[in-house]
Amino acid sequence: MSSENTATAATPEAGDAVVAQTDAAAQTDAVTPDGVTADAVTPEAATPAGGVSKAMIADIEEAMKDVVDPELGINVVDLGLVYGVHVDDENVATLDMTLTSAACPLTDVIEDQARQALTTGPGGGLVNDIRINWVWLPPWGPDKITDEGRDQLRSLGFNV
């Protein structure tokens, strides 16, 4: 399957399960019947009727930290370039991503790194395949960089 390169706002395809946003604040806690607070059980942990287990968003985000912006040398998660992840019933991940500049000539490099990070490894990888939906709204800005990303950029001499 080849990746899709579009310039649309991030929306899941019909039938896809929205499994995450990169904002940690989007995670919620659930209260068990005995009143104990626990992490909410999310749909990505379930096995759909087809028997294919969907990847967990935390695992996808962690693996995407191996994808490094070739110009800045910082991973795409800490740069705030990953806007969302959707996993369909066939365990194909659609990544809603942006770039620091729409004119970036290195989209193929980032796409290849993402495919490598998510589809290879023990047991064949986290997902069966990926698609990248390049989105430009909302536009990327330095406010999207995580604290870890800011620390990394400062160590490289950037003033953020």
Side-chain angles (χ1 to χ4, degrees), residues 22-80:
T22 56
D23 184 4
Q27 296 178 351
T28 59
D29 289 336
V31 178
T32 61
D34 60 358
V36 177
T37 302
D39 289 336
V41 176
T42 55
E44 71 272 14
T47 302
V52 177
S53 179
K54 289 186 183 180
M56 301 274 302
I57 186 58
D59 293 337
I60 290 174
E61 284 183 344
E62 188 63 32
M64 286 298 291
K65 287 185 177 183
D66 289 340
V67 179
V68 175
D69 180 283
E71 294 176 318
L72 296 174
I74 307 296
N75 73 72
V76 296
V77 173
D78 287 329
L79 279 175

Side-chain angles (χ1 to χ4, degrees), residues 119-138:
T119 63
T120 63
L126 292 171
V127 297
N128 295 333
D129 200 4
I130 69 162
R131 288 180 242 148
I132 297 181
N133 181 33
W134 296 109
V135 296
W136 309 111
L137 295 174

